[in-house]
Amino acid sequence: MNPALSVILFTVSSGAGFGLILMAVALSLMGWVPGMGPGQTLVAILIGSVLASIGLLSSTAHLANPKNAWRAFFRFRSSWLSREGVFAVLFYPVVLVYLISLWVARDTGSLAWWGVLFGILTALLSLATVFCTGMIYASLRTIPQWNSALVPANYLLLAISSGTVILTLIADMQGVELRVLSGLALVLLVLSGLAKLLYYIWIGKPQGPTLNTAMGITRAKIKILESGQSSRSFLNKEFSNQVPAQTLKKMRWVVYLAGFVIPAVLMLVVFQTSMMLLSVLAVLLLLAGLSIERWLFFVEARHVVNVFYGQ
Amino acid sequence: MKLGLVIDMDTCVGCHACVVSCKQWNTSGTLGALTDYEPYGKEPNGVAFNRVRSYEVDEYPNNKTVNMPMSCMHCETAECVTVCPTGASFKRAEDGIVLVDQDKCMGCNLCSWACPYGARELDQASGTMKKCTLCVDRIYDMELTEAERQPACVLTCPTRARHFGDFDDPDSNVSVLVRERNGLQSMPELGYNPVNHYLPPRPKPNAPTHNGGQLEPLTDRFKKWLNKVVVR
């Protein structure tokens, strides 16, 4: 698949934003992090909303005819893209009420009952939006590498782990106790890294339709003689790419180091020493690593239309 | 009604006449224009509803060329319609034709991702998705004679490899062809249940080939050919 920059930015940024909001709401409602009151949560939710909004705005850059984008909310019953849009838009009024409740509670330190209610709704809508993003890809039977429950699982885990690392940085800047957050970030990074490894092992198996099943001639070798076109058409530009397999292999290492291993080690050090510079480094590395992870997610996906071109 | 095409991979010679007549008719049709990019440039390309690709099946000396034209299959399980967030893509209840409402499409490409047959192509000029209409603006046009109320590709095919009809009617030309010639669907394992069917190449012995060396005299070869062709 063609790795569109707008979609990479969208999924990484809004994933991290919604993950950050989800974790901030959950942890502050549970009261597991000492020192993280409504005032600190407010900052985290605001930063999360900005990240999510940057992502959602950049996703519209992917549309060829954005003036009809408002119509995308009307097929909720069948389309995962429509569901994602609906949840993402519903998120805004709900998070606004939640932010107001946090603002009101920032001095007293105790959240009103409606603040708790809207906090839970905010977290649920964030979760639903990220899940829908994953399902847009997982629902496509035409792309064997995406058509799996591992895809929404990966999207959710990566969103939550990157959100937690960012939350650690935000908490660090506000002088909140870091042991719970950095410990949680470490666990989530390890979990999402393992889930990604599982995904990479799973897509390593050859799968999906072949030229034989496409032509109904199943007992002979088939090769393409001519594609009937003198240059690359929409189908080639959108669905195939010429990235060498060697590069893909190297990029997987980059994903592992920048996206999981180094941030996890940094979180471990933060867990021990609470050095702010390390949290900054972890966030930057993680976002870069996840961008490459998302690029690979597209480049390694092989749409079945490629078989008609003998690829 | 379940309208669709039957394409005979045995008689198709890969001449691309259907591609040309499709483009000619549809560029001024309901979903037109079919924009060309750089038509006189180095890499001319553009929107097409119908593409023909040629394949070599099996290996020498049993190899043969098989051509496979591809357009929208008007699938019964049309995932392109399911994934469409705007409702621009729809499948008509009365005849099963899948169309794109150009006034509603926002050009997100998701339907083209959901199509395994490469039937949908984005027009960069209009920013909307375009696809085969089964010449919906021809087949119901009562100004045309009945023989002409068929898709442009079917009418133009010089080898009559393309057939148009109603798959719901068990006695229609297309249903009979599928039944008698073991018509098949492309990629049945994906479960899209495409309406269009392909007729596989007939099992014929491959034409004898001559491996260099001296040929028989022309008169002898002509007599042999005549004996094969003329049935006494």
Side-chain angles (χ1 to χ4, degrees), chain B residues 125-225:
Chain B
S126 65
T128 52
M129 199 50 76
K130 296 192 171 170
K131 66 177 289 301
C132 160
T133 64
L134 210 62
C135 284
V136 70
D137 40 14
R138 256 199 98 93
I139 56 178
Y140 293 113
D141 187 351
M142 291 302 158
E143 296 290 306
L144 298 172
T145 62
E146 200 185 339
E148 283 187 344
R149 290 202 289 267
Q150 294 194 68
C153 56
V154 175
L155 285 172
T156 206
C157 180
T159 60
R160 296 188 190 278
R162 303 178 72 99
H163 307 269
F164 165 71
D166 177 12
F167 284 83
D168 261 352
D169 173 7
D171 297 320
S172 67
N173 59 337
V174 285
S175 299
V176 170
L177 275 171
V178 167
R179 203 158 53 231
E180 290 182 349
R181 297 267 316 274
N182 295 321
L184 50 90
Q185 296 171 319
S186 181
M187 296 181 184
E189 68 273 31
L190 283 177
Y192 280 60
N193 210 354
V195 171
N196 284 11
H197 279 68
Y198 287 89
L199 305 180
R202 290 183 176 89
K204 281 180 293 199
N206 57 307
T209 44
H210 200 269
N211 269 326
Q214 204 63 40
L215 280 172
E216 279 179 79
L218 183 63
T219 45
D220 291 357
R221 279 184 282 149
F222 180 70
K223 275 182 202 162
K224 271 189 185 171
W225 173 78

Side-chain angles (χ1 to χ4, degrees), chain A:
Chain A
M1 298 292 291
N2 171 42
L5 190 64
S6 56
V7 178
I8 293 174
L9 186 63
F10 157 53
T11 53
V12 172
S13 178
S14 73
F18 285 125
L20 167 59
I21 291 167
L22 182 64
M23 294 311 287
V25 173
L27 290 173
S28 81
L29 285 183
M30 297 294 190
W32 283 351
V33 184
M36 196 169 130
Q40 288 75 17
T41 313
L42 182 77
V43 176
I45 302 288
L46 271 176
I47 293 174
S49 304
V50 168
L51 276 174
S53 306
I54 291 171
L56 292 171
L57 280 178
S58 90
S59 77
T60 57
H62 174 64
L63 304 179
N65 194 20
K67 73 173 194 295
N68 276 345
W70 61 275
R71 291 184 185 273
F73 307 116
F74 300 121
R75 282 294 179 276
F76 186 84
R77 285 178 63 185
S78 62
S79 168
W80 283 104
L81 181 52
S82 195
R83 285 168 201 167
E84 183 197 39
V86 169
F87 288 134
V89 166
L90 276 180
F91 167 81
Y92 283 96
V94 172
V95 80
L96 193 67
V97 176
Y98 181 51
L99 282 171
I100 291 170
S101 76
L102 287 172
W103 178 260
V104 170
R106 77 190 189 289
D107 292 328
T108 58
S110 64
L111 205 59
W113 66 268
W114 53 276
V116 175
L117 177 70
F118 276 83
I120 293 171
L121 279 177
T122 303
L124 286 179
L125 283 171
S126 308
L127 189 73
T129 310
V130 176
F131 179 68
C132 287
T133 309
M135 282 310 291
I136 291 172
Y137 304 110
S139 66
L140 297 172
R141 275 180 279 169
T142 47
I143 302 166
Q145 287 78 11
W146 288 356
N147 189 15
S148 157
L150 289 171
V151 170
N154 266 312
Y155 268 84
L156 282 171
L157 278 171
L158 290 174
I160 294 172
S161 60
S162 60
T164 311
V165 174
I166 297 172
L167 185 61
T168 310
L169 173 63
I170 295 169
D172 204 348
M173 290 191 291
Q174 297 181 306
V176 174
E177 213 277 316
L178 288 182
R179 287 184 72 86
V180 176
L181 280 173
S182 53
L184 194 61
L186 177 62
V187 172
L188 285 170
L189 279 171
V190 171
L191 268 181
S192 53
L194 286 176
K196 197 69 211 183
L197 179 67
L198 196 63
Y199 172 79
Y200 282 143
I201 291 170
W202 177 73
I203 65 167
K205 282 192 298 182
Q207 45 196 336
T210 61
L211 194 47
N212 292 85
T213 62
M215 293 183 72
I217 299 168
T218 50
R219 294 173 69 182
K221 268 191 187 166
I222 308 176
K223 68 179 186 197
I224 188 158
L225 287 178
E226 46 181 286
S227 65
Q229 57 197 48
S230 54
S231 58
R232 282 159 68 81
S233 72
F234 168 79
L235 298 178
N236 310 111
K237 288 173 187 161
E238 185 71 9
F239 298 122
S240 81
N241 55 69
Q242 283 125 352
V243 182
Q246 210 57 40
T247 315
L248 296 180
K249 247 185 189 166
K250 279 180 201 156
M251 284 305 182
R252 280 194 187 182
W253 281 106
V254 176
V255 168
Y256 267 107
L257 289 176
F260 302 106
V261 177
I262 301 177
V265 171
L266 288 174
M267 282 296 116
L268 187 65
V269 180
V270 170
F271 184 74
Q272 306 283 4
T273 63
S274 304
M275 276 174 69
M276 197 203 286
L277 191 67
L278 293 183
S279 316
V280 177
L281 191 63
V283 168
L284 292 178
L285 263 178
L286 183 63
L287 290 182
L290 288 190
S291 301
I292 293 172
E293 182 270 334
R294 221 42 59 86
W295 178 82
L296 266 181
F297 177 73
F298 282 93
V299 171
E300 289 188 315
R302 303 205 50 75
H303 194 284
V304 295
V305 83
N306 285 306
V307 306
F308 291 106
Y309 289 95
Q311 291 168 351

Side-chain angles (χ1 to χ4, degrees), chain B residues 7 59 86 105 173 215 225:
Chain B
I7 297 164
E59 287 169 315
T86 63
C105 179
N173 59 337
L215 280 172
W225 173 78

